[in-house]
Amino acid sequence: MTDSQEQAENVLLEVRDVHKAFPGVKALDGVRLTVRAHSVHALMGENGAGKSTLLKCLFGIYAKDSGSIEFLGKEVAFRTAKEALENGISMVHQELNLVKQRSVMDNLWLGRYPSKGWFVDEAKMYRDTKAIFDELDIDIDPRQTVAKLTVSEMQMVEIAKAFSYDAKIVIMDEPTSSLSEKEVAHLFTIIDKLKQRGCGIIYISHKMEEIFKICDEITVLRDGKWIDTVRAADTDMDALVAKMVGRSLTQRFPEKTNTPGKVVLQVRNLTAKNQPSVRGVDFELREGEVLGIGGLVGAKRTDIVETLFGVREQAEGEILLRGKAVHNRTPVEAIKNGFALVTEERRSTGIFAGLDISFNALIANIKQYEKAGLLDSARMRADTQWVIDSMRVKTPDQKTRIGTLSGGNQQKVILGRWLLTQPDILMLDEPTRGIDVGAKFEIYQLIADLAKQGKSVMVISSEMPELLGITDRILVMSAGRVAGVVETARTNQEEILQLSAKYL
């Protein structure tokens, strides 16, 4: 058998000349993709390139306008996600889709409960869930309520759910976005098990190191068009980025031109009420400074900004803004006091998915548009357009539902929303999660520009190169406590990791 014949026999999925348009937008324009058994195929491109639209067409969420999709040698056109799952295609979504009020095992078998007569067979459901978790080495109680899990644990449940369908094609959309380095290594072990089973994995990630570590082939999309398909071993990061953005990206992070000045924010003995959370946190933030917050998953980095923003109740401590004590008991008070927070979970706490860009851009600043008891629509349109233009949001118009935009474009709208409030303290929790390299640079540049203008910015990030690339100092958390504050220019990954484990 020749190599070409063997490759043809190994083909699980063949996408040819697929087109899909929405009002005002041509999302897919002649896209093609070939996925083989025993392989990981990366699907890459900037936000808005068409990756998610293609996968939704494959998974039965959208109907393609034209083209063909062949799965296991037969042309398919799934009408629902359930149909795709039942035929051997499963998907781990970037945005978690779990029912948080139900147990882990309920979520795993939702819509296909094992039964005993007229009743759900709870014992079998538990055994089957435990067997999958044991095979994947996942240490989560199947009876635990999902709401009590961490984001990374929820992600592992989503992965186990996809595994449970015994699928031939497994789609993974940014599966490591909420995982620690140890959990990422665990996921890669699971992917290797899927490959050994004969699966084809379609893998979306903006983390280049991951792509070159686990992927066999790479397909690049740009502006809804197929650009190239290459073997991972035959290309490099620079060539891949050039294909994705249509130009060479000469630097990963913008030049730092800010000069941190006087202390703007003083936090003393900050302790959240409900434990386990932050306790005894002390730090200062300067005018025109970018302060990073690092640490392992579970270090309670997010708890710091949530306590400052009034999402979590403060038990002890003092917050001084320009020397004056502030008490942010609610987010509304925090906004009035000049604080802004871009949350980590875009879908659940960041956007109003069913409403338009204008509403999402203006909602935090809505009282500023009141004029004689009415809303100033002209000013609202102007500010919405400012967000679209300054953040470079790809959208047909202001009235487009934000839920139809790519994750990166949603994030840009959220950033613009908070900038309209003209905050003194801008807190960003994983601001580039699920965002492509080109858009990441734009957000890094925005952060650098804000710092240069004298704004004080706090950035939580799980990506070590990001922390080292854009910050002036890094506050390292370990088990809810400050393990140390280091000067970015004088530290390295090893020191930060050592501090991260200080109180474990």
Side-chain angles (χ1 to χ4, degrees):
M1 184 183 292
T2 65
D3 287 346
S4 59
Q5 286 174 323
E6 187 176 348
Q7 282 193 332
E9 283 198 0
N10 278 334
V11 170
L12 297 174
L13 178 72
E14 188 81 58
V15 175
R16 297 189 185 95
D17 196 32
V18 166
H19 294 253
K20 177 65 180 176
F22 300 100
V25 179
K26 194 158 193 176
L28 299 176
D29 187 6
V31 168
R32 60 184 191 258
L33 174 70
T34 302
V35 181
R36 307 177 199 285
H38 303 284
S39 74
V40 181
H41 195 120
L43 186 59
M44 302 198 71
E46 293 189 276
N47 290 107
K51 306 184 299 295
S52 294
T53 303
L54 174 62
L55 297 182
K56 286 175 180 177
C57 288
L58 171 62
F59 199 58
I61 297 171
Y62 293 157
K64 66 184 184 304
D65 295 335
S66 62
S68 69
I69 299 174
E70 285 188 9
F71 177 53
L72 301 179
K74 295 180 180 178
E75 186 159 350
V76 295
F78 300 127
R79 291 163 295 181
T80 64
K82 184 174 184 289
E83 194 177 334
L85 285 164
E86 289 171 347
N87 281 276
I89 298 177
S90 65
M91 186 171 182
V92 180
H93 296 269
Q94 178 184 346
E95 307 293 354
L96 303 175
N97 287 302
L98 298 172
V99 182
K100 293 185 178 181
Q101 294 75 27
R102 305 296 298 174
S103 70
V104 168
M105 62 185 191
D106 274 337
N107 274 271
L108 218 65
W109 304 103
L110 190 65
R112 51 190 179 128
Y113 289 130
S115 59
K116 184 187 286 184
W118 292 97
F119 302 98
V120 173
D121 191 340
E122 295 269 350
K124 177 173 170 41
M125 187 160 62
Y126 177 86
R127 288 195 307 272
D128 291 349
T129 304
K130 193 73 171 63
I132 290 169
F133 282 5
D134 288 345
E135 185 175 356
L136 301 181
D137 196 25
I138 294 173
D139 185 20
I140 297 174
D141 181 358
R143 295 193 178 96
Q144 177 75 280
T145 303
V146 167
K148 295 180 180 178
L149 303 181
T150 65
V151 173
S152 59
E153 286 173 333
M154 290 182 196
Q155 189 79 327
M156 296 310 292
V157 172
E158 287 275 28
I159 290 163
K161 186 175 181 179
F163 191 87
S164 73
Y165 279 93
D166 197 24
K168 286 294 184 184
I169 295 284
V170 179
I171 302 164
M172 295 189 173
D173 190 355
E174 295 287 349
T176 65
S177 58
S178 302
L179 304 183
S180 66
E181 288 187 22
K182 182 179 178 182
E183 289 164 332
V184 170
H186 184 190
L187 171 65
F188 290 169
T189 301
I190 293 172
I191 288 173
D192 192 54
K193 287 182 179 181
L194 289 168
K195 282 180 68 176
Q196 290 174 23
R197 277 188 173 190
C199 290
I201 297 98
I202 302 175
Y203 194 87
I204 296 179
S205 176
H206 295 302
K207 298 177 182 179
M208 293 289 185
E209 295 83 1
E210 292 180 3
I211 296 300
F212 287 101
K213 186 170 185 177
I214 66 164
C215 294
D216 302 293
E217 292 183 280
I218 302 167
T219 289
V220 178
L221 304 183
R222 187 172 72 241
D223 297 328
K225 295 182 173 68
W226 176 88
I227 299 300
D228 200 4
T229 297
V230 294
R231 280 169 36 87
D234 297 338
T235 190
D236 59 31
M237 193 178 298
D238 290 339
L240 204 54
V241 170
K243 285 182 171 72
M244 288 169 61
V245 302
R247 63 187 189 281
S248 60
L249 206 60
T250 55
Q251 58 186 123
R252 191 170 178 184
F253 302 102
E255 184 183 350
K256 293 178 183 177
T257 55
N258 61 311
T259 306
K262 62 185 179 182
V263 172
V264 174
L265 180 70
Q266 292 171 285
V267 176
R268 299 171 181 164
N269 191 36
L270 184 69
T271 302
K273 187 171 184 180
N274 295 321
Q275 294 296 324
S277 189
V278 293
R279 57 190 188 278
V281 169
D282 293 281
F283 69 92
E284 294 180 341
L285 178 63
R286 298 182 177 91
E287 192 173 82
E289 180 181 39
V290 181
L291 175 68
I293 302 180
L296 304 173
V297 170
K300 307 302 178 185
R301 298 165 302 174
T302 296
D303 293 33
I304 291 179
V305 295
E306 287 187 345
T307 307
L308 290 175
F309 198 63
V311 175
R312 292 179 178 271
E313 189 174 350
Q314 182 181 334
E316 296 178 38
E318 190 175 27
I319 302 169
L320 300 174
L321 182 61
R322 303 188 190 280
K324 182 182 176 182
V326 294
H327 303 281
N328 296 334
R329 286 161 294 200
T330 65
V332 172
E333 285 189 5
I335 293 168
K336 286 179 181 177
N337 288 325
F339 289 75
L341 173 61
V342 175
T343 58
E344 176 185 7
E345 283 298 308
R346 211 171 27 238
R347 183 174 180 180
S348 59
T349 59
I351 64 167
F352 298 86
L355 298 174
D356 61 26
I357 290 171
S358 181
F359 180 92
N360 278 275
L362 306 178
I363 186 60
N365 207 36
I366 197 69
K367 286 192 176 296
Q368 301 302 314
Y369 304 107
E370 288 185 6
K371 186 177 180 181
L374 300 173
L375 291 174
D376 187 343
S377 57
R379 189 178 162 203
M380 291 169 70
R381 283 194 299 272
D383 279 2
T384 303
Q385 198 57 46
W386 177 85
V387 169
I388 291 170
D389 294 342
S390 61
M391 300 293 112
R392 299 183 186 179
V393 179
K394 292 181 180 176
T395 176
D397 54 51
Q398 298 185 6
K399 294 303 177 184
T400 300
R401 280 195 308 112
I402 196 170
T404 66
L405 301 184
S406 67
N409 283 305
Q410 291 174 8
Q411 188 77 326
K412 290 177 185 179
V413 173
I414 296 168
L415 281 166
R417 169 203 298 168
W418 289 113
L419 291 179
L420 285 174
T421 69
Q422 299 183 329
D424 291 308
I425 309 296
L426 179 61
M427 301 179 290
L428 310 175
D429 193 353
E430 302 286 2
T432 63
R433 178 185 169 197
I435 292 178
D436 63 75
V437 286
K440 272 186 179 181
F441 189 87
E442 291 176 0
I443 289 174
Y444 296 152
Q445 186 65 64
L446 172 66
I447 292 169
D449 290 345
L450 290 169
K452 187 178 179 181
Q453 294 163 22
K455 294 289 185 184
S456 302
V457 186
M458 295 166 60
V459 178
I460 297 174
S461 178
S462 300
E463 294 188 38
M464 197 75 74
E466 185 169 275
L467 280 177
L468 294 169
I470 66 171
T471 64
D472 300 298
R473 292 184 302 142
I474 302 170
L475 182 154
V476 185
M477 294 293 293
S478 178
R481 299 159 66 188
V482 177
V485 180
V486 295
E487 296 284 339
T488 303
R490 298 186 182 89
T491 192
N492 53 44
Q493 293 194 23
E494 289 72 25
E495 182 182 17
I496 293 171
L497 286 171
Q498 285 172 2
L499 287 169
S500 298
K502 186 174 181 178
Y503 297 120
L504 298 181

